[in-house]
Amino acid sequence: HMTLPALTQVVIGFSDIICNQTLSLGIFVAIVIGGFIFVTKSPRLRPSYDLFRLGLPVFGTLLVQVAVVRFSRSLRTLLRSSVPILQALEISGKLVENKFLEGKIKEVATAVKSGQGLGLQLESKKVFPVFMTQLLTVGEESGQLERFLDLIAQYYEESVDTFLARLTTLLEPFLLIFMGAMIGTVVISMFLPIIELSTRGAG
């Protein structure tokens, strides 16, 4: 009739929830997944969701770099295929697969239509890397926009590959520590009552 240690009570509580509240957990997970799908499919909510993703620590920067690679590669390919720049910008914006950035690129296309520079307009949106926008400006002024788009894509592809390689290296020990902590918590929670009972019995 002894009181179980707090850690043991927590582990048992989690176990009871998983075993006895399966239906409730299933409904909760279904609601979360359904809400996520609704947000990602909603024309009104998707731009806000994509903006939230871009603001995430570390991963937001990675998403921006991936978007820059897609935008640069697709725009270069379209321009080399003699597609008009306004149409190329519209298509490239869709290929970025981020509704918030796509909206910004549409605004840039409108400004380019009125005769303003692509690089300067992208820089004014304050969501694209300054290094990218400055290179685009140089490419426009030198008449080598396609070449500079290729350089931008190559640079950010290497940056993304380097980041992912480092992330993989860091995740391995983190996952080992996490799994060890989980197993250790369960084992300790099992032995704490036995140790406490033995101590009382000996006393």
Side-chain angles (χ1 to χ4, degrees):
H1 302 287
M2 62 178 285
T3 303
L4 291 172
L7 180 62
T8 306
Q9 292 183 37
V10 170
V11 172
I12 291 174
F14 274 114
S15 176
D16 288 341
I17 290 173
I18 294 173
C19 294
N20 301 325
Q21 303 295 329
T22 306
L23 179 60
S24 299
L25 285 174
I27 294 173
F28 174 74
V29 171
I31 291 173
V32 171
I33 295 175
F36 175 77
I37 294 173
F38 173 76
V39 169
T40 55
K41 297 296 183 183
S42 171
R44 291 184 178 181
L45 298 177
R46 179 61 187 269
S48 298
Y49 168 71
D50 285 340
L51 175 60
F52 168 76
R53 291 168 60 208
L54 296 178
L56 292 173
V58 182
F59 291 99
T61 302
L62 176 65
L63 291 174
V64 171
Q65 292 180 350
V66 171
V68 168
V69 172
R70 289 174 177 169
F71 175 76
S72 302
R73 285 283 186 216
S74 56
L75 184 59
R76 173 182 174 273
T77 301
L78 291 167
L79 292 177
R80 290 194 68 177
S81 303
S82 301
V83 176
I85 187 166
L86 295 180
Q87 185 180 354
L89 285 171
E90 181 182 355
I91 297 171
S92 300
K94 293 178 180 178
L95 293 176
V96 164
E97 296 184 5
N98 183 294
K99 290 297 181 181
F100 176 78
L101 293 179
E102 182 182 343
K104 294 298 181 182
I105 293 171
K106 285 182 179 179
E107 294 175 9
V108 168
T110 302
V112 170
K113 185 178 181 180
S114 64
Q116 302 183 51
L118 174 61
L120 290 175
Q121 286 303 307
L122 286 172
E123 186 173 354
S124 69
K125 301 307 172 185
K126 301 186 183 302
V127 289
F128 298 96
V130 176
F131 179 71
M132 167 209 178
T133 57
Q134 290 179 345
L135 280 181
L136 282 178
T137 301
V138 173
E140 286 180 290
E141 293 174 350
S142 62
Q144 303 181 68
L145 183 58
E146 294 175 17
R147 177 172 172 269
F148 276 84
L149 283 168
D150 189 40
L151 291 174
I152 291 168
Q154 289 180 12
Y155 173 82
Y156 283 101
E157 275 181 349
E158 292 175 4
S159 180
V160 169
D161 290 342
T162 301
F163 175 86
L164 292 177
R166 290 177 179 174
L167 181 64
T168 304
T169 304
L170 290 173
L171 276 179
E172 290 177 1
F174 174 79
L175 290 174
L176 288 174
I177 293 171
F178 176 76
M179 292 300 297
M182 291 288 292
I183 295 171
T185 300
V186 174
V187 172
I188 292 172
S189 69
M190 292 170 57
F191 279 99
L192 273 179
I194 299 173
I195 295 170
E196 202 168 306
L197 184 62
S198 301
T199 305
R200 288 189 182 184

